[in-house]
Each structure stands twice: as C-alpha cells, then as structure tokens.
Amino acid sequence: MHKRSTFWAGRGIASTLLMLLSLFAFSQGKTISGKVTDANDKTPIPGVSVQIKNTSSGTITKADGSFSLQAPENSVLIFSFIGYQPQEVPAATGVPLNVKLVTASKSLQDVVVVGYGTQKRNEVTTSVATVKAENFNQGGSRSPMDLIQGKVAGLSVTRTQGNNPNSGASIQIRGIGSLSGDKNPLIVIDGIPGGNLDLLQQDDIATFDVLKDGSAAAIYGTRGNNGVILITTKKGKAGDPQYTYSTYLQREAVAKRPSILSAAEYVKIAGQDQNKGADVDMYDLLLDKNNLSHYHNFAASGGTANSNYRASLYYNDANGIALQNGRKQYGGRVNVNQTGLQGLLTMQFNLAGNFNKANLNGGNSGGGDNKAGNAGADFEQAVQRNPTAPIFGPDGKYIETNGFNNYNPLARLNQELYERDQKTYSGDARITLEPIRDLKISAFGAIVRDEYNDRQYKSKLSRSSIQDYKGGGYAYKANSAAMDKTFEATVDYTKTIHSDHTFNVLGGYSYQYSTLEKYAMDNNGFLTDAFEDWNIAAGNALIDKTLPAPKQSSNKIDNTLIAFFGRINYNYKQKYMLQAILRHEGSSRFGANNKWGNFPAVSAGWVISKEAFMQDLTVINNLKLRAGYGITGNQGIPSYQSLLTLGTGGAYIQYGQWIQTYGPNKNPNPDLKWEKKKEFNVGLDFSLLKNRLGGSIDVYSRKTQDLLFNYTAQLPSNILDNIFTNVGAISNNGVEVVINAVPVKTKDFTWNSDLTFNSQRNKMVSFSNQIFKTTEQYFGDLPSPGNLGSAIRVVEGGPLGTFFGYRYAGLTKDGKWQFYKKDGSIGDISTVNPDDKTVIGNGIPKYMASWNNTFRYKNFDLSIFFRGKFGFDILNLQDMYFGNKKWAPNNMLSYAIGKNAQLNADPQFSDYYLEKGDFVKLDNITLGYNFQLKTKYIRSLRVYASGRNIATITKYSGLDPELQDTALDSGIDGRGFYPRTRSYTIGLNLGF
C-alpha cells in the first residue's frame, strides 16, 4: 500500500523548501531494519508498506516479513497493510524493530465499493452488502453469480437449467419491479457499467458489493431500478513475485430422475397394439454418465509500491450431464498499476479476454422458454417416448415414432449440430492525478466487445429434413457483434476541518455508447451432407422453388447514455453521517420530450454506540442506524421504441413483378420515458459481545411508477392499434436480516455461523391511467394440446405471480373432472366457465433464507451451507400432462397408474396440479486441508473436496422445486427440463 507524503499541503517556496529539507535529511540517514508479524498468530506479513512519515520514501516487507531502509534520525515509520490497523513506530537505530500489526475490525474497517468510489464500512449510510473471496461458495461454479448464491439477503440467484454449462443464472434484487423493462440488476465490473460476466473466472474475483436500495443505486440513474452489483477483480500488489495455481475436477450426477413407466407398465395402459417389441430407457441414454469437467487458473503477481501487476491465464472444459452439451473456454486477465510524479499520478490498466466454443445441441440450450417444452425438449421426449419402440431398425437407421410432439432425440443429436464460437474481450484504463493533497482528478475509458458465430446443420436423414425439405439438408449461419464504449471523468475532493468535520465531494461525467449488429442466413435442400454449413450456396432451394425459400436477415441497433452526477458525504466525528446524490442522465431510448431525467437520493447514519450514554454498555461494540431515500430509473427496453419505424409488409404483384412493400410497424411516442422507482430504506447495523455477534436489519418500501407496457391505441389518430407507453405502478416491501456469529473461538478451533433471511411482498398497484385502461393481464401460457390458456393473472391491487384457475372438486365415478363453481356448487368441464375461475396460488417465494457454518480445526476447514425458499406454489406441468393416461400412446410418468389412476379425462388446469414449493437444500459441503510445508518454494497448499446440491428437503413431487422465480410467469415447472444434478468436486490451490 502506497502512502502520500505531506509536502503536497504547501505550495511554491514552502513546498520546495520542505522537499529539500527532506532530501537533506535522507542523506544523513541511517539503516533501519526489522520484521513485521501478525500480533495474533506471530506469522510474518509480506508486502507491508513501511513509509517514513511526512515523506514519500519507504519500502515494503519481504516474504519473511523483514525490511530495511535508510531513514533520518528521530524519524517515525508508518506501517500499513490491508486488513490491519496502521501503526507508527519511532525509527530507532542499532536495534532491529519488531513490529506487531493488529487485525482491523472486520465489520468497521472493511472498504466497500459504492459506485465511483469506496467508503469504509462504518461510514456507509445505505444498504450495501459485501461478499469477499474467502466467503464465496466453494467448488466449481458455472456462473460467477453462483459464488454468492444465498450469501446476500434479498438477492435471488437461480440456475433455471441447473448445471447446464451453456445457461446463465437468473438474478434479481428485492423482487420484480417491471412488466416489460429489464428485471436484472446492473452489473459493473471494475468500473465498467454493463460488464460481461463471461470475462470473469472464480479465482480472479476479489469482492462483490451489492447496492440494494435506491439511495445507494441512484448514482447509476436510469439503470439503478433493479439494484447494482459491483464486481472487483483481484489486482496487483507490492511484494516479491508470487504465483498461484488453482485447479479442480468435477463430476455431475442426476439428483432426481422422473419416474417413467417401464415397458411392461406402459403396455398395460397403451395396449398390445402399441408394443413395438423393445425395452428402451431413453432418459438414461440421453445422459453423459462419463461427464468430467476440469478447470485450471494460473496467476502471477508482484512489483513495487510504485509499479505492480497481476496476470492470470485459465482453461475450463465444462461438460454437462446431457449428451453433446459442453463448453470449452480459455482466456486471461492482466492488471497493471503504476504510480509516478512523486505519487501525484497513478494509472491502472485492465485487459481481459474469453474465447469459448459451446456445443448447444444437447439439452436444447439454444432457446425456448423452458415452460412450453422448448428448452430441454429432448428430455421431454425421454419421458413420453414409447419405451417399447426400438431406436434403430433392421437396416441400422434410426426409427422415428409418430404422434403429437414426438421425435427420436438420439437421432436428432446425431443427425444435427448446433455450435457457437464466441470471443469476448475488454480493455480499460484509469488515470488519476492528485495535484494537491486529497484532490483527485480521474479519467476512465473502457471498451467491451462480444461477438459470436452460430452454425447449425440438419442432415438429409434427420426427421426435420425429411418432413420439411424433401429429404435435403438444412444449414444456418449467424453472427453477432456487440460493443460498448465508456468514458467517465470524475473529480473527488476530501477535506477535514478541525479533525471533526470531514467532507467528501464527488462530481462526474459519464458517456456510454452501445451497438449491436446481427446477420443470419439459411438454405436447404442440400443433396449431400459433405458441405454441412460451410458452403451454404450449395443448397438446392436456390433453384428449386418447391422448397422453402432461403432467408437472410440483418439489423443494427445502438443507444447512447450521457450523465452528469455528484455526491456529497459529510462525517462528524465518525458519529453522524450524511450523503446526498444527484444524477442528471439522458438516454437515446426515450422520446423527444423525455430524454433527460433527474435521480436524487439522500441518506444518513447515526453511530449510536459512540454516544456518551452508550459507553457503559460494553456488550455493544457498534450500533448504527441508517435511513435513505432514493429515486432510480429503468431504461432497459429495446431501442427505437419511441420512434416511428418502418418494416416490411409482404410481397405483392405489381406490373407483373413481385414487389416488397414497406410501412410503419410502430406508433411513435415522443413522451416515452424511463420507469421510475422511489424507495425508502431503514437499516440497523450492530456488533455485540466483542464483535462475536453482528449483523444488520433492513426494512424497505419501494414503488415503481410509469411502467412500460403495450396498450391498445385509438384508430385513428394512431397508425397501429397498439402503443408502447408509461402507465402502471408496482410496489415492493420487505425485510432483510443478516446475522454473523462466532459461537466458538479457541486457539485450535473456530466456528463461524452466518444467517441471512428476507421476506418480500409485491403488489400491482395500477395498470391504468386516464388515457390507457386495463384491469388485468395474463402470463404463463400453457402448452398444447388442450388450448388451456394462461395460468397466471395479475390484477390491479393484487400480487404478482398469482395462479388463476379452477378449484378441484373431485372426480366422477368414471374419472371425469369436477370443479367448484362461483356459487359454491360443483360442475364438470362442460358446465364451468371462466367466471368460475379464482385465485388458487402464487408462484413467487415470500421468504428466502440461508445458513452457512464454517468450522476450522488446526489445518482442517469444513463448511456446510443450507439455503431455502418458502411461501410459494408450483404448477407441475409434468404431472398435468405426463401423469395422465390420456397422454397415450405416448409414455407417461408413474403418476398415471399411481395417484392419478382414477383420472380418465384430458388435462385441465386447476389447483389439483398446484403443490407447495417450499424447500431447504443442503447446497454445499466442503472439506479442506491446508498443508504447512517447510520449504521456501511453496507458500501455501490447500486441497479440498466439495459437493453441491447434495440434498433437498421438500414436499414437492417434481424433480426440483427451485424454479424461475424472477419473472411474471414464475412457479411453472415446464414439461421440458434439463436434469438437475449433484456436483462433486476435488480441487487444489497452490501458492509459490
């Protein structure tokens, strides 16, 4: 850590004289040496900054904690290191100094990233949660967000397709706050807004800081409605060169498989005429039971206090549980930090790259909503495929079965391909000048580029080619290139008056320009599979007009954000804190009349434990009350929604020729503006019993207004019958609790226990205003067959995620449905009507909780992590369709001859298929051992074994109760699914 000298306080002659005196003193100095150790465990501390007070001269400690420097007589040395309290020691000569640094209070001295700067934890007045590397979920992670799943109260991280290596995590902070706008938090990586998570590897991340409330997120204006996640990567630091190698091997195993009818059971229901003579377990055949993933990360760091670096390289081969479902990626990250001009100028540079190749064929990773059976469709086939149907015929060719929504998934996997090659890279640089003490002028620039190429090919023998392309092959190619350019400039000044009053003022300018370009084309009728998609002009559809016409498409979209922002912090005696924020921001996505908006916030903190009346209460170490109010926005909609745009209208014959027509495809809306959220948050931070028990409690109330949604437009004067505009409002309220405890702490044994809990409630306040009126909206369309409509209805004054359907009243003697009517009477499917539907459940969890315990005994460490969600319902579509004998001649689940044995009617949506979704997972258990090797080459060595998703306690009968719960159609367990797995990992962390 580099400290500033005090000669900046003066100017002109005084400054010059002080420098000359300092230089003269150095010339008369003597050698001072010594060693720095940890006051608790007596271990040496390398990399400690040793600075001569009131100068810019100093050194850092070596690997064994020793140091040596020239210092004038009667000088004072300042010893400082991250995580320890600074210490000043007189520079005595002749006798080696033995300096013992004391660990700083974790809860009070930690540095928190708050957006365009940092604060000490004890100075924070908003709701901010921090998770450091030592507290990450252990084992192999598919997404960086897996590292903090369950670690932050109010943050929902859900892997909706389990450990599919080509799927991301669904992320949400404090519930749903939009209908059509972006529902995800803003990701900021090392200062880059909208940073790409593909550029992050688990061993390169230092901290996550989550800005949860409006008073914290207002500094990001139109992108702060859903909260902000600030990710800081590991940086270079002074010290001898150090190297770190991390690796793991990971296997996946199915956690719970569907209970499919065996061939013999199936024949009893479907009849002997459906018996094809084979006995096939298609689900088992679709699994890659030999899957193995491995990960390697090598990092090097070192340098001096004025110039240091960190560089890392990685390779990751992730294989999913499904056949033809994997992702190979490699890349690296470089960080360089340099200080010059006698400490006046600092530069930080980051460069990161990720190159990956994904096999999207298995698991149907390429798309679908995972509710109507598109994503994970192969495994839907595995459930419903006739188990007596052979896979191959006598001629060795695949056999395709006939029937609704039916195909041979093994044939598809081997007769089709779907791959993606992707390259993502970013570069950023920050230059900071400190012309006078405590005044920092900074310029930051960044470029992020993400591009990919998709290729698909369906061979001549594939079912699709035979049915759709007259037995010719099909080829598709697409490419996409996205680029974000960011420039930001800030001025930061800190001033302390009479040691009691501290002011910090930040002002800044931000500019971000984003573009996305896409191109796609296809062709069909390939008479040979030799070309695949590499000679797309060879398809016969170019000359055979009886084949589907080849298609091309291209588009480009862009948008610009410009903002001016400021923040003022006031601190009186570390007892009273006040913060005010204002961001003035403009977005090209909105109408001409609403390009710019203001986003203010104010928050305050009172450290009650510093008051005189608290000094006798030794049981309380820290007690701080926080309160904040902030306004944020949401501009997460497609570009050009406010403009009149043109589209194609189809081809028509004119003068004997086919002519493409053009016309408006959107009504203009010059009044279109961002969604606006107003949020009030009150929090209490506490630390008790000599910091053995601590935590926080937050209570919040938020209301999002001017919701963006499509409404019916009047004709005329509008061109089209719908318009995208601002109308409705949603409210969210909740409580968040975090408790950190150290129940046991001895010389050899420590037990740390962390608990998080949050409750949340939401309400659709309104859908209408004086111009646009609607009272209800429907979501969660149910799949065919049956034309069953939507499962979820949202009405004004009601909660989001509400299941709306019939109430089950039993079965008739012949197995037909009976439902309760509105008047309480009972009717069958022919006599009930939509007026008889009612609220029957809700798919959004009301409560989330997690509990982590870490035990350390000498060199062993054991962590056990539980988490759960409560107070929600699940619509089990697999039971609804596959658990019904009417699904024959397709195969079925055992429910069809079990709990649903008496049912003899087509599927109907009612509360019969709603189940309680409450669950508790033993989500992670890790055992590790740290070797103490007496060698100068190996600094540290740790081995560990980890298991994830080990056990689930739930009454839900489906495969996994943890579903998508961050969308308007939450709580629907689709027919198509990707197998949920348990992950088993062995790993090694080596430092040398």
Side-chain angles (χ1 to χ4, degrees), residues 324-336:
Q324 295 196 33
N325 175 226
R327 181 184 181 95
K328 292 181 173 66
Q329 59 181 343
Y330 64 92
R333 175 173 289 273
V334 177
N335 165 252
V336 177

Side-chain angles (χ1 to χ4, degrees), residues 614-632:
M614 296 288 292
Q615 299 311 301
D616 293 334
L617 299 177
T618 57
V619 69
I620 298 177
N621 304 110
N622 180 61
L623 187 64
K624 182 173 71 175
L625 181 66
R626 297 176 280 104
Y629 175 81
I631 298 176
T632 54

Side-chain angles (χ1 to χ4, degrees), residues 177-182 225 590 594 596-599 631-637 669 671-678 703-711 724-731 764-770 772:
S178 180
L179 295 178
S180 302
D182 190 5
N225 256 17
F590 296 111
N594 284 303
W596 293 84
N598 295 316
F599 304 93
I631 298 176
T632 54
N634 186 354
Q635 61 102 45
I637 59 172
N669 184 1
D671 295 323
L672 192 72
K673 60 183 177 180
W674 46 87
E675 299 177 339
K676 181 187 294 183
K677 184 194 70 182
K678 300 177 181 179
K703 184 177 182 180
T704 307
Q705 299 174 316
D706 299 324
L707 294 178
L708 292 161
F709 204 66
N710 263 311
Y711 284 83
F724 195 62
T725 189
N726 304 85
V727 177
I730 291 175
S731 68
M764 190 70 221
V765 177
S766 66
F767 269 122
S768 307
N769 61 14
Q770 294 179 346
F772 302 99

Side-chain angles (χ1 to χ4, degrees), residues 880-897:
M880 183 171 166
Y881 289 92
F882 301 148
N884 190 326
K885 291 191 293 290
K886 287 285 187 175
W887 198 246
N890 292 323
N891 196 12
M892 291 154 276
L893 297 173
S894 61
Y895 299 148
I897 58 174

Side-chain angles (χ1 to χ4, degrees), residues 217-231:
I219 196 72
Y220 286 101
T222 61
R223 292 172 291 181
N225 256 17
N226 303 308
V228 183
I229 299 178
L230 305 167
I231 304 176

